[in-house]
Each structure stands twice: as C-alpha cells, then as structure tokens.
Amino acid sequence: MLEVLRRLIQDVNAADSLEDALALIVAQVRAAMRTDVCTVYLHDKATQKLVFRATEGLNSEKVGQFGLGFDEGLVGWVATREEPLNLDDASAHPQFQLVEGLGEEPFNAFLGAPIVHQRDLLGVLVVQQGDHRRFSEDEEAFLITVSAQLAGLIAHAELAGVIRESATVPEDSEGGARLSGVAACSGIGIGIAAWVSPHADLQTVPSRESSDRRAELKAFREALASVRSDIQQVAENLEEELGPEDRALFGVYLSILDDSALGGEVAALIKAGEWAQGALSQVMLRHIRHFERMEHSYLRERAVDVRDLGTRVLGYLQDANRQEVDYPDATVLVAEELTASALGEVPREKLVGIVSMRGSANSHTAILARAMGIPAVVGVEDLPLKQLPDRQLVVDGYNGRVYVNPHPDLLSRFEGLLAEDEALFEELAPLAQQPAATSDGHAVPLWVNTGVAADVQRAREFGAGGVGLYRTEVSFLLRDRFPSEEEQRQLYREQLEALHPSPVTMRTLDIGGDKALPYFPIEESNPFLGWRGIRVTLDHPEIFLTQVRAMLKANEGLDNLRILLPMVTAIDELRSARELILRCHSEVMSEGFSAALPPIGVMIEVPAAVYLAGPLAEEAGFLSVGSNDLTQYLLAVDRGNARVADLYQALHPAVLAALRDIIDAAHHHDKSVSICGELAGDPRAAPLLVAMGFDQLSMNAGSLSVIKRVLSAFSRDELSQLLAIVRPLRSAQEVVSALDQALGDRGLDIFLRRGSAV
Ligand code: PEP
Ligand code: MG
C-alpha cells in the first residue's frame, strides 16, 4: 500500500492541473482499493457547496455540474463532521440522498473521508461498491491516509488554478490567492513577479566526444572568467549593504568553481575527451544530486548554489546568457531558493520585494534582505512558481503573507498601507537624533541589534544608545572558513568604533539550530535541542579563544565592549566561559595590549536559565533576554516553522511571567537586564516591556523611531497602569487586545500591524 501511495503522490505532484490531479487520484484509488467507484467532491468557498469534481464509476458527464450543501447527502454529512463515514447500506442512512442521473443506484457500500488541509476542509473523498458490506478497518485507514496525504497537494493545485484563472478575472469579481510563509523582513512590497534571468538547462546537455580538447578547455576557462566577473559585479552592487568584509560571501560562492573544487573536475573530464558542456553538466549534476541527498539542510541548500553557478557557466558556453533581462520597475523576486547572486542582479532601485519557497528567517537571503531593507517572505511552501512570473504580487513582510493577482480592493488597501508607511517614515525621521523618553520625560535606553556593516551605519543614523546584540555569527556565515583572529579584530573594531563611547554588546559565536556554517556542518535530527551556542564554543575552545582574543584586542583604547554568552543553560557554562575569557585577557595583556576586562553577560533564552536567573545574575555582569528563543522553548514552538507560526506567541502570559521573574532576579542582584529579541522592537510590546522594568530594549535599527514615538505617548504612571491591566490576563489574545487598546487610545493604531507578537 505504501508503494501505491508513494506512486500516487509522485504522479499527482507531476500533474499539470487540478483536473489532471483529481483524475489521477480517483483512478488510482479505485484501482488500489478494488472498488467500483471513487469520487472527489471539492469545497467551493464562494458558493459553500461540495462540488462533484472527478469520478471513476459514476456519470462523468455530471462533473462540475452540481454541488451538495453541507446538509445534503452523505457527502455533506462527512464534510460537516469532518470525520469518515463507513456504511454497508448507504440508502438506509437518514441523510442519504440520490442525485438524479448520477448513477449511484447500484452501489450500497459507502466510505467517505474528509480532505482537510491546515484545519481547512477542502472536500470529501468517497469510494463505493455494489456489495452490501462494511469496508474493513484497513480500507478505512487507507482512505484516510490517502486523503491526509493528498490534502496538501490538492491545496497546492487549487491555488495554482486560482492564480491561473484570476489572471483574467474581471475587476469586480473575487480573485487572487493568498500564500503564507515566514516574515523575513518587515514592510510592504507591491510589484510584478520576476525570476532571475532564465538560464540554460544542465539536464538537457548530451554527452559528446570533443574534436578539439584545447579549444574546449579554453572555452570553459573563458566561460568561468565571465561568470566570475558577473558575480563580482553583483557583489559590488551589494557593497553598500554588506561592507567590504562581508562581501566574502561571494568569494565562498565562487570558490565552488575553483580548480581545487568542481572547476578542476570539469577540466579533468574535458582533458579526458568530453566536450566542455557535457563535462560541466556531468560534474555539476553529480554534485547537485549528492548535495540534495544530504540530511543536513545547509548542505542540501548548497545544491542550489552549485546549480546556479553551473547554469551560469553553461549559459556562457551556449552563448545564451548574454541578453540583458528587463526587470519591471517594481520587481518582486520569486524563486524556489533565492541565491545572493540573484538578489544582487536586480537593480536595487527596482527591487521591492522577495518571496521564496525555501529558506528560514535566518537564511542568507533573509539576512541580506534585512540588511537591504527589502520586504521579504520566505518558506512559502505552497508557492506555485510556474504560475508566478508577470503576475502582480503584494508582499506583506509584516505578517509573512503573499497575495497573487490581488483583488482591486485588497490592492488598494495595501497601496494605502504602503503610502502610510512612507509618510510615517518621513514623519518619524526627525526623531532619529532625539533620545527616547516617556511623555513625562523619563529616558528609556533604546539600543540596536547588528549583524552586517550596514546595520552599524543605520544604528548611527537612527541615534541608537548602544548595541545590545551584535550577532557575530553573521560574518561567520558569509565565509568559507572561520575568519582569522586579525580578520575578526578588524570587524569588531569597526563595530566598537562606530558606536563609541556607547556600549557594544558582542555575542560569542551562536551557531547550531538553523544557523550552520558552510565549513562546519552540524548534522542532527533535532538541531534546536542540540549542539547550539555556548555548547559548541565550549567544546571548541580554539574557536572561542580566537574570537575572544579578537574582541579584547579590538577593544583596546575604546573600552566599550561587553561580551554576551548565548544559549546558557547551566552555571558551569558561565563559569567555564569566564575562565576562558580571563585566560585570553591575561594572554592579550602579556602580548602588550592594554585591554580592560569587559563585563560578561548571559543570554536568557531557555527555561532552565529562567529558573536559574538569580544565580546567573549574581555571577554575571548583566543579563539579556533572547525572547525569540525563549518563546520557542517555553511554548515548544519552532520559531522558523510556518505551520505552527500561529502558536508562536511572544506575548503569551507564560512568556510574560518568565520575563517578570528574570527582571526581578537581575535587579535583586543589582544587575542590568535588557531584551534583544524581536519583541523589543514590537510597538505593541515595547511599552509593556519598559513598564516591566527592562533597563534597555535592543532592536533592529529600523524600529528605533517607531518605538520612540510609541513610548513618548505614555507617561510613567500610564505604563504602570498598563502593566496592572495586562498582568492578570490569561491568553495571548487578551494581552494583545489590551495592548492594542492602549495604543488605539493614543491614536497609534498605525503601528499595530507592524507588531509581530501574535
Ligand atoms: C533571541 O533568541 O531572541 C536572540 C536575540 O537571538 P537569535 O535571534 O539570534 O537567536
Ligand atoms: Mg537566540
């Protein structure tokens, strides 16, 4: 049975249209179950009918001709209850109803299963048979399995159909489709979908013996050179965002083509007599297949890079890659997986949005999108790529949604929001250089989170009071090897100097989870509960020591460094890390540097650290709450999984209770406590966090002015009142409503949709 199911899924996946997919389903299910009839009814949301969409065994002329209400027939019964119905004599059931001309009369046994996708009833799958008999438990289980497995595919095929059809729907009708993913960069982008330049196809190159090996080798080398110069151009386009240091990303990318890597393998095949195109395609496809089979997601993603580079080189070999692509003035880049090179190819002034099927909020694309400030939604699993180019898209980077061919009403709503955003941006600009304070003049320190060079620039422009979290791993992610001590020292020096004399909090390398280094893959079945953050660096003191030495040296003469330890779950981790830091400090001093010992802080990101906040606060220099991970671990909800995104509630009362305990513990020991997760930059949450007693809120630079504006609408007393209102609430929804009301009362509604808390 498993084999039947596997084949069916494969066939349905390959189907060109919803009709084809449904036809395959009814034919294959009928054959596998040896029944007389198999039928699919699909739920038409506009008419609220279960429409007869495909059959094997009943009158196929009726397909599309009628629909049943939820109170009609056995199909309606299954749909209403969303549970299977197994009858030996269908006509004896009180809700049995004959549809004229359908040809159901000879069939007595009936088995129906609902088709449900993400709590949404898509339709009903039915098998029928002449015999008077109850279907066996195995048969019932099989039909339920088929229906559960097919639900996602049907949803996908339906969506593709909606998108195709809505291209021609009249202006006044309901149209368009909505897709969900993970918000990777906030903001709204409205534009036309475009793929990056169409490339040659590695799959279609035949193997052929070359007539002139030298000429083939020369052609290959020339093609390589052209691709290198294209990618270098792309890297230059991104210079402003990345800064020279982090452009190493493209070096990593290009190194795939080096003689010591795949380039060498291709050359060897050419020398052995294969023509250049054939050699290239064979080597690339072999490596793509190899990477695609890898368990680890980071390595699987490398297949995308290899394919991208391979097709670029092939394009030059085939002379097909030369034409300039004319990107629409407002381009939304769409792809299965966006590569950094694709991102740099669209002229910056034309790029308004990014949508990808794969990728998480921490993928390279997401990091780049955020550095560039382009609204982005990633991980849109249902993205029907083939249908998208030239369609109009709305990218809602606040809520992780994408709208295809939006209905005119929806479009004008988003155009309105975009215009509001732009007006707001202008209105808030003067706030950049003003300090953050409540309406009665109490200062609130707002700090920034940084990762790449552009973030530091923006931090200065927006008047940050310090850096609350410098994610050092971003620079590690953009390279093909660990950066040397000197490379790190330069990077850190830049950060420390840019904000001097304000404090800069540097987090030691935080990899693992969904952040894997290309050159240090970690293969685990449950990476978020695995080798992450401080666990990795304590196991690899050589990595930790190099990094800390670089930080201490960079701090010479500036003295604004703070060191922060990620993912701490036990006091021993803090003690061991401090010992290593002290060792580095004395080494660096003995090398002649005059380096002060910086404060050492602990991130509170896991439940164990919440319960241990007292001892940690006593022994550490400061605490910083990583609310992104803390929410994930307290609520047991994967922060990067779109399917459970609704359950990821940073304003859940359990999270708020944990925050209160952490603040109490820190203040009890006279230590400062900041919060540096996304929650800090959420306009809905910020007043509450200040009221709770956080000493600093650290956020993305782009949120600073918004948060300044929101906080300036509350007096200290009003903040205390807000805290008293929220404290007894028992659900995230209640907390959100209370906060919404507080903002609404102060005319701050416009900021609410920026919130990402619930
Ligand atoms: C967090 O977990 O809240 C945090 C700030 O760290 P990161 O998002 O980098 O895991
Ligand atoms: Mg974290």
Side-chain angles (χ1 to χ4, degrees):
M1 279 303 184
L2 209 59
E3 182 48 31
V4 174
L5 199 57
R6 204 185 52 75
R7 215 182 39 244
L8 177 56
I9 288 170
Q10 220 169 34
D11 291 350
V12 171
N13 244 329
D16 280 336
S17 65
L18 179 60
E19 281 61 42
D20 288 354
L22 297 179
L24 280 164
I25 291 170
V26 290
Q28 293 196 23
V29 170
R30 185 172 84 147
M33 294 185 71
R34 299 202 178 86
T35 55
D36 297 325
V37 176
C38 181
T39 307
V40 175
Y41 294 81
L42 287 191
H43 179 198
D44 180 347
K45 297 210 171 95
T47 60
Q48 278 304 312
K49 294 277 187 202
L50 297 154
V51 180
F52 182 71
R53 291 292 296 265
T55 189
E56 279 281 326
L58 298 182
N59 180 3
S60 58
E61 285 179 6
K62 286 276 188 186
V63 165
Q65 299 301 309
F66 76 95
L68 297 166
F70 278 61
D71 54 353
E72 289 183 294
L74 302 179
V75 170
W77 193 97
V78 173
T80 306
R81 285 167 182 72
E82 296 194 3
E83 63 184 33
L85 180 63
N86 186 353
L87 301 171
D88 57 353
D89 181 4
S91 61
H93 191 281
Q95 205 171 309
F96 176 76
Q97 184 179 320
L98 265 183
V99 176
E100 226 185 279
L102 192 57
E104 279 185 298
E105 292 80 354
F107 307 113
N108 293 297
F110 174 100
L111 175 61
I115 307 169
V116 181
H117 179 60
Q118 294 175 351
R119 296 193 187 184
D120 201 13
L121 179 92
L122 300 183
V124 176
L125 179 61
V126 178
V127 288
Q128 289 168 280
Q129 200 144 25
D131 310 343
H132 272 284
R133 67 149 185 129
R134 226 181 121 78
F135 285 94
S136 71
E137 276 193 17
D138 277 357
E139 287 169 315
E140 190 175 323
F142 178 73
L143 197 71
I144 293 171
T145 312
V146 169
S147 149
Q149 291 271 348
L150 293 177
L153 301 180
I154 292 177
H156 187 84
E158 254 192 327
L159 208 55
V162 170
I163 290 166
R164 242 192 328 266
E165 283 154 26
S166 63
T168 52
V169 290
E171 292 265 301
D172 58 354
S173 79
E174 279 285 327
R178 191 184 85 175
L179 305 160
S180 296
V182 176
C185 179
S186 63
I188 288 162
I190 302 175
I192 304 298
W195 257 328
V196 222
S197 49
H199 291 305
D201 186 358
L202 287 167
Q203 302 276 1
T204 57
V205 179
S207 175
R208 190 180 293 163
E209 211 173 302
S210 75
S211 49
D212 182 347
R213 296 181 193 192
R214 264 168 186 262
E216 290 295 314
L217 199 58
K218 183 162 172 276
F220 173 60
R221 298 257 182 249
E222 281 171 7
L224 275 191
S226 304
V227 171
R228 281 185 201 287
S229 97
D230 285 353
I231 300 277
Q232 255 129 29
Q233 183 58 48
V234 162
E236 272 162 39
N237 291 349
L238 289 174
E239 176 158 10
E240 237 177 68
E241 280 77 24
L242 284 180
E245 294 292 340
D246 286 327
R247 274 193 293 144
L249 167 67
F250 293 97
V252 176
Y253 201 52
L254 280 175
S255 66
I256 293 174
L257 296 177
D258 283 353
D259 265 354
S260 56
L262 307 201
E265 286 183 42
V266 178
L269 259 189
I270 297 173
K271 286 177 194 158
E274 179 72 29
W275 70 316
Q277 292 187 34
L280 177 79
S281 135
Q282 285 164 34
V283 170
M284 294 295 170
L285 289 177
R286 181 155 43 81
H287 283 276
I288 291 165
R289 275 194 293 271
H290 179 65
F291 279 122
E292 280 175 344
R293 276 200 300 268
M294 298 270 192
E295 278 246 320
H296 196 280
S297 63
Y298 184 87
L299 293 176
R300 265 200 320 272
E301 283 167 19
R302 299 291 56 77
V304 179
D305 292 347
V306 176
R307 190 184 296 280
D308 178 53
L309 284 169
T311 43
R312 280 170 186 270
V313 178
L314 185 64
Y316 274 103
L317 285 173
Q318 294 180 341
D319 208 23
N321 207 22
R322 232 53 69 81
Q323 82 275 22
E324 286 280 307
V325 180
D326 210 1
Y327 289 103
D329 285 343
T331 297
V332 175
L333 209 48
V334 296
E336 186 168 342
E337 167 94 58
L338 271 172
T339 56
S341 71
L343 209 53
E345 213 161 273
V346 184
R348 177 65 189 86
E349 66 283 3
K350 292 188 172 185
L351 187 59
V352 299
I354 296 168
V355 181
S356 75
M357 252 173 115
R358 316 224 179 284
S360 68
N362 284 313
S363 59
H364 286 172
T365 320
I367 293 169
L368 286 178
R370 279 198 292 272
M372 295 166 79
I374 313 268
V377 179
V378 300
V380 186
E381 285 180 9
D382 288 333
L383 197 67
L385 272 176
K386 279 193 239 163
Q387 265 77 43
L388 287 183
D390 302 328
R391 304 268 184 256
Q392 187 172 41
L393 299 191
V394 171
V395 181
D396 176 358
Y398 292 117
N399 299 300
R401 301 257 158 78
V402 180
Y403 300 85
V404 187
N405 292 338
H407 184 272
D409 290 348
L410 188 86
L411 181 62
S412 66
R413 190 151 60 80
F414 275 104
E415 281 168 345
L417 292 177
L418 187 58
E420 268 180 19
D421 270 5
E422 281 162 3
L424 192 65
F425 192 72
E426 294 220 335
E427 185 195 318
L428 295 179
L431 286 181
Q433 294 309 326
Q434 290 170 22
T438 56
S439 62
D440 50 346
H442 288 276
V444 186
L446 298 190
W447 291 10
V448 283
N449 297 344
T450 59
V452 291
D455 294 333
V456 199
Q457 282 315 319
R458 292 207 299 159
R460 284 165 54 126
E461 280 165 30
F462 287 103
V467 172
L469 172 68
Y470 168 43
R471 290 182 165 99
T472 57
E473 68 275 6
V474 174
S475 286
F476 283 64
L477 280 166
L478 300 175
R479 283 175 167 66
D480 64 346
R481 57 171 171 77
F482 284 105
S484 68
E485 183 182 310
E486 177 53 20
E487 281 170 326
Q488 291 186 53
R489 191 194 64 78
Q490 285 176 21
L491 277 170
Y492 303 158
R493 182 83 188 173
E494 242 177 66
Q495 294 267 335
L496 291 165
E497 272 177 346
L499 270 290
H500 188 261
S502 303
V504 174
T505 312
M506 297 199 175
R507 177 168 73 184
T508 60
L509 188 63
D510 185 17
I511 53 170
D514 62 345
K515 289 181 276 194
L517 300 176
Y519 44 89
F520 192 68
I522 302 171
E523 301 233 5
E524 291 175 324
S525 56
N526 208 347
F528 275 110
L529 299 184
W531 209 38
R532 275 199 76 183
I534 192 87
R535 301 172 184 180
V536 178
T537 45
L538 286 181
D539 284 352
H540 277 277
E542 76 286 8
I543 299 173
F544 188 77
L545 291 169
T546 308
Q547 183 170 41
V548 172
R549 285 166 58 85
M551 287 178 182
L552 295 175
K553 287 183 179 175
N555 192 31
E556 190 180 35
L558 296 175
D559 211 13
N560 56 339
L561 167 70
R562 308 196 317 160
I563 295 182
L564 182 59
L565 308 171
M567 267 294 284
V568 170
T569 49
I571 202 92
D572 284 348
E573 290 168 335
L574 167 62
R575 289 177 185 161
S576 306
R578 200 190 19 230
E579 244 169 62
L580 291 173
I581 294 171
L582 288 175
R583 200 174 107 193
C584 280
H585 182 246
S586 61
E587 279 172 17
V588 166
M589 297 274 279
S590 68
E591 286 171 32
F593 285 86
S594 61
L597 184 67
I600 302 168
V602 167
M603 285 197 82
I604 307 292
E605 309 190 86
V606 296
V610 177
Y611 287 106
L612 217 60
L616 287 170
E618 194 175 357
E619 296 194 25
F622 62 96
L623 299 186
S624 181
V625 176
S627 54
N628 304 338
D629 276 316
L630 187 59
T631 304
Q632 146 166 284
Y633 291 121
L634 273 178
L635 304 184
V637 177
D638 181 344
R639 62 192 262 190
N641 183 344
R643 201 174 292 169
V644 286
D646 287 351
L647 299 175
Y648 185 90
Q649 301 168 335
L651 287 170
H652 191 291
V655 179
L656 298 182
L659 297 184
R660 277 198 301 273
D661 289 350
I662 299 163
I663 295 167
D664 286 350
H667 289 170
H668 179 74
H669 292 284
D670 284 332
K671 299 288 166 62
S672 75
V673 54
S674 62
I675 177 163
C676 59
E678 295 302 310
L679 195 62
D682 181 339
R684 188 182 271 130
L688 184 67
L689 299 174
V690 174
M692 290 171 108
F694 277 108
D695 299 295
Q696 301 98 19
L697 308 188
S698 190
M699 60 199 71
N700 296 329
S703 304
L704 280 174
S705 301
V706 171
I707 300 299
K708 281 183 191 174
R709 171 77 187 82
V710 170
L711 291 175
S712 70
F714 290 84
S715 69
R716 276 266 283 249
D717 280 350
E718 288 170 335
L719 288 176
S720 305
Q721 284 158 19
L722 184 63
L723 186 60
I725 292 171
V726 168
R727 220 182 153 106
L729 300 179
R730 295 183 173 188
S731 74
Q733 283 72 19
E734 287 169 22
V735 174
V736 168
S737 308
L739 297 176
D740 282 1
Q741 170 133 24
L743 263 64
D745 290 348
R746 290 165 177 77
L748 301 171
D749 307 75
I750 187 170
F751 299 111
L752 290 176
R753 70 193 147 82
R754 292 170 165 266
S756 56
V758 168

